[in-house]
């Protein structure tokens, strides 16, 4: 027991939320490239959860679950462009901690449905483009976060600091030396055709042209930029750990790192984004360090989801949630080896650039389109996750009984949650989720392809002109 806690003071809490971070591109999760040496070292002092899933894609719905301990039926948040605030009946982690005497600050997270309740909102530049040059997003975050951490440490009350990292979220523009840390060669080699299908995808090609090198030809360069952004973010996070150490509070602070969702790189034709409910997008890292309470050097294989984070953090902090009945459960029994796993089959949703839902078990993944998508994918997909972990072989025709079984289990779960919450499944009430008022659900993949678009066409045109010179 440390001096800090002897007087009954609650532990500080630092939550690192990393946007678009694939667990399988971190070296501590087995990636062959050494992308996260500092997080790897941090993980050795805590518990790493090997099977943490983001069931509600993308950011808006993911953080709504991460910061409330609730699933999408309780939050009613599933869409990227969620309209209106979070339901007032659902309490956020900063609101709960504020009632327990905490000072609360967040960096880079204003404007999200789940960002309600912080005392302080600080922002930083977290985007960028090719014209603006290399993008020091994580350093920009530190420039704001470190002074705020210093301020919070100087106060008499315990604090909750939430940092929302925008590396490795696109644009992937890590500064030198990270840009070429994992790549040697000519990214514009005209004989390499791997980027042709990416740049032929009309909805996104202007966006890609706004931050990828003019004349980009090699997909491996873009993947190396993503990995470089992960490594850059990892180095910047070391600065946060150093600040906590310098204040001599690292071991008195619950530090958790969680991803909101993963990323599709060259996978499933959902190029360099995070739509789709394939495992590259669902599987996220979760590492928690708090010496004395969280076992050191432990890797936990049990399944868990975003909704389990808040109950876990409150359990560790010894904070009473005031009678809230969370959808999630504390992961501490799992970390201690008393429980093998939480729910190993669960409902998954996506409402980003496509509107789909599905059911994931340890063996199977069912994906059902609620309307046609802009990738012209089949309305139903079924993957055997044991035999085909990359989800490349759609077994719908071969395994109709499995499709029926999983659909039944999914529908039974939806009906149960609708009854428990008194709300309709939010996936069915999204209206113009795609941001085009009055269009309603897409009636064909062609309509979706022709309607959806991100990027700056004028800038893209300039970049293409430069590439031809």
């Amino acid at each position: 027991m440390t001096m800090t806690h002897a007087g009954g003071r609650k532990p500080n809490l630092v939550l690192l939320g990393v946007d678009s971070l694939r667990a399988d591109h971190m070296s501590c999760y087995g990636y062959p490239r050494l992308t996260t040496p500092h997080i790897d070292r941090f993980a050795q002092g805590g518990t790493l959860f090997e099977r943490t899933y983001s069931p509600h894609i993308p950011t808006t719905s993911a953080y709504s679950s991460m910061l409330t301990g609730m699933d999408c039926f309780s939050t009613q948040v599933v869409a990227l462009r969620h309209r209106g605030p979070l339901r007032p009946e659902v309490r956020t982690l900063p609101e709960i901690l504020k009632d327990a005497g905490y000072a609360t600050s967040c960096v880079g997270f204003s404007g999200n449905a789940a960002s309600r309740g912080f005392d302080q909102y600080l922002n930083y530049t977290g985007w960028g483009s090719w014209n603006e040059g290399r993008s020091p997003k994580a350093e920009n975050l530190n420039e704001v976060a470190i002074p705020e951490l210093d301020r919070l440490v100087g106060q008499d009350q315990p604090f909750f600091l939430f940092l929302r990292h925008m590396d490795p979220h696109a644009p992937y523009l890590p500064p030198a030396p990270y840009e070429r840390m994992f790549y040697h060669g000519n990214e514009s080699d005209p004989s390499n055709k791997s980027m042709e299908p990416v740049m032929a995808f009309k909805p996104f090609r202007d966006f890609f042209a706004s931050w990828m090198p003019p004349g980009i030809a090699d997909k491996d360069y873009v993947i190396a930029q993503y990995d470089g952004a992960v490594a850059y973010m990892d180095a910047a996070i070391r600065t946060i750990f150093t600040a906590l150490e310098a204040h001599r509070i690292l071991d008195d602070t619950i530090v958790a790192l969680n991803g909101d969702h993963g990323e599709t790189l060259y996978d499933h034709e959902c190029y360099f984004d995070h739509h789709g409910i394939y495992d590259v997008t669902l599987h996220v890292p979760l590492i928690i360090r708090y010496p004395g309470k969280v076992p050191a050097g432990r890797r936990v294989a049990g399944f868990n989801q975003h909704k389990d984070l808040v109950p876990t953090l409150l359990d560790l902090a010894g904070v009473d949630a005031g009678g809230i009945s969370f959808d999630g459960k504390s992961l501490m029994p799992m970390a201690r080896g008393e429980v093998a796993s939480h729910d190993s089959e669960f409902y998954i949703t996506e409402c980003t650039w496509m509107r789909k839902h599905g059911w994931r078990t340890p063996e199977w993944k069912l994906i059902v389109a609620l309307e046609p998508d802009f990738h012209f994918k089949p309305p139903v997909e079924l993957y055997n996750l044991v035999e085909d972990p990359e989800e490349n072989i759609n077994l719908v025709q071969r395994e109709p009984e499995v499709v029926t079984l999983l659909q039944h289990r999914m529908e039974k779960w939806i009906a149960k949650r609708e009854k428990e919450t008194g709300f309709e499944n939010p996936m069915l009430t999204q209206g113009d989720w795609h941001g085009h008022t009055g269009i309603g659900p897409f009636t064909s993949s062609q309509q979706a392809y022709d309607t959806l678009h991100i990027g700056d066409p004028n800038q893209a045109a300039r970049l293409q002109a430069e590439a031809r010179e």
Side-chain angles (χ1 to χ4, degrees):
M1 190 62 96
T2 62
M3 290 288 292
T4 322
H5 294 162
R9 176 176 160 142
K10 301 287 187 195
N12 303 311
L13 173 56
V14 175
L15 175 57
L16 307 162
V18 187
D19 209 304
S20 312
L21 179 56
R22 278 175 68 145
D24 68 351
H25 275 244
M26 300 172 72
S27 34
C28 52
Y29 280 83
Y31 193 48
R33 288 175 170 170
L34 186 60
T35 48
T36 52
H38 300 290
I39 293 169
D40 296 2
R41 167 88 52 93
F42 164 74
Q44 289 166 9
T47 293
L48 180 148
F49 295 87
E50 294 176 342
R51 291 191 178 94
T52 298
Y53 289 89
S54 170
H56 309 310
I57 305 300
T59 298
T60 317
S61 42
Y63 277 122
S64 294
S65 205
M66 261 170 91
L67 288 170
T68 66
M70 301 297 188
D71 70 8
C72 70
F73 294 90
S74 293
T75 65
Q76 290 287 294
V77 178
V78 286
L80 176 66
R81 298 177 179 84
H82 177 77
R83 293 184 188 84
L86 186 67
R87 291 179 51 230
E89 298 84 354
V90 175
R91 310 217 45 225
T92 65
L93 181 58
E95 289 171 338
I96 297 164
L97 290 175
K98 200 171 182 174
D99 285 350
Y102 279 72
T104 62
S105 296
C106 73
V107 177
F109 193 61
S110 52
N112 194 288
S115 63
R116 195 180 64 213
F118 287 96
D119 297 327
Q120 300 286 337
Y121 295 88
L122 301 160
N123 285 307
Y124 68 96
T125 305
W127 285 86
S129 71
W130 183 259
N131 285 352
E132 294 165 272
R134 293 278 134 193
S135 190
K137 299 184 225 176
E139 214 172 325
N140 293 343
L141 180 143
N142 280 356
E143 281 177 10
V144 174
I146 297 296
E148 181 62 7
L149 177 60
D150 293 340
R151 184 188 73 79
L152 289 166
V153 170
Q155 294 188 338
D156 289 335
Q157 60 195 127
F159 65 81
F160 168 40
L161 177 61
F162 174 49
L163 307 177
R164 190 268 187 108
H165 284 262
M166 283 297 282
D167 283 295
H169 190 292
Y172 320 144
L173 289 165
Y178 298 93
E179 182 225 350
R180 297 193 98 74
M181 179 179 268
F182 301 114
Y183 186 85
H184 180 77
N186 175 14
E187 59 269 35
S188 303
D189 178 355
S191 69
N192 189 325
K193 307 294 184 191
S194 58
M195 284 297 287
E196 284 187 356
V198 181
M199 288 311 191
F201 184 63
K202 192 176 69 171
F204 282 12
R205 66 185 175 203
D206 293 334
F207 175 62
F208 292 149
S210 77
W211 58 269
M212 292 181 186
I216 179 68
D218 187 359
K219 71 171 172 63
D220 290 335
Y221 174 83
V222 185
I223 294 169
Q225 296 311 290
Y226 176 86
D227 289 343
V230 173
Y232 170 63
M233 172 274 303
D234 172 80
I237 280 180
R238 175 62 245 183
T239 309
I240 308 285
F241 299 153
T242 300
L244 292 167
E245 282 171 352
H247 285 297
R248 299 185 175 180
I249 60 166
L250 179 61
D251 289 355
D252 300 322
T253 301
I254 301 163
V255 183
L257 182 143
N258 199 184
D260 63 341
H261 49 69
E263 187 84 336
T264 48
L265 294 167
Y266 201 71
D267 319 271
H268 307 288
E269 288 129 23
C270 303
Y271 303 114
F272 306 112
D273 192 56
H274 36 263
H275 56 282
I277 37 184
Y278 305 105
D279 271 10
V280 290
T281 310
L282 301 185
H283 185 212
V284 294
L286 174 62
I287 305 165
I288 303 176
R289 184 187 185 277
Y290 184 37
K293 290 280 188 79
V294 175
R298 178 75 55 89
R299 297 178 75 92
V300 176
F303 289 90
N304 62 95
Q305 298 168 55
H306 275 153
K307 66 183 181 180
D308 300 319
L309 181 65
V310 167
T312 306
L313 298 176
L314 296 178
D315 182 6
L316 284 170
V319 170
D320 181 358
I324 297 173
S325 180
F326 293 108
D327 296 329
K329 300 187 286 265
S330 173
L331 296 174
M332 289 318 299
M334 204 188 294
R336 292 190 294 263
E338 299 158 10
V339 171
S341 182
H342 285 356
D343 298 336
S344 59
E345 53 177 300
F346 46 90
Y347 183 58
I348 52 178
T349 68
E350 188 227 328
C351 197
T352 318
W353 300 102
M354 313 192 290
R355 190 165 71 98
K356 304 195 172 199
H357 65 174
W359 192 251
R360 189 195 191 286
T361 79
E363 187 177 5
W364 297 103
K365 165 87 64 74
L366 174 75
I367 299 173
V368 178
L370 290 162
E371 58 192 79
D373 70 70
F374 65 169
H375 292 295
F376 298 81
K377 292 190 181 293
V380 182
E381 296 166 72
L382 177 73
Y383 300 101
N384 184 317
L385 300 174
V386 177
E387 297 171 8
D388 173 32
E390 293 184 356
E391 301 166 278
N392 291 322
I393 304 157
N394 185 0
L395 299 174
V396 163
Q397 303 301 325
R398 219 181 302 168
E399 299 282 359
E401 302 90 346
V402 179
V403 173
T404 304
L405 172 74
L406 296 175
Q407 272 191 305
H408 174 71
R409 290 185 76 79
M410 177 175 77
E411 284 158 14
K412 194 174 162 189
W413 169 261
I414 291 169
K416 172 177 173 278
R417 292 299 291 133
E418 286 182 332
K419 190 176 176 189
E420 287 169 353
T421 59
F423 293 109
E424 192 176 357
N425 181 357
M427 287 303 292
L428 306 179
T429 59
Q430 288 311 300
D432 296 310
W433 58 272
H434 39 60
H436 294 270
T437 310
I439 286 182
F442 292 127
T443 54
S444 70
S445 285
Q446 190 64 50
Q447 183 198 17
Y449 184 87
D450 292 338
T451 305
L452 296 175
H453 177 260
I454 53 169
D456 180 344
N458 297 325
Q459 183 183 45
R462 280 199 306 277
L463 289 171
Q464 296 307 321
E466 287 165 17
R468 283 196 297 271
E469 285 173 7

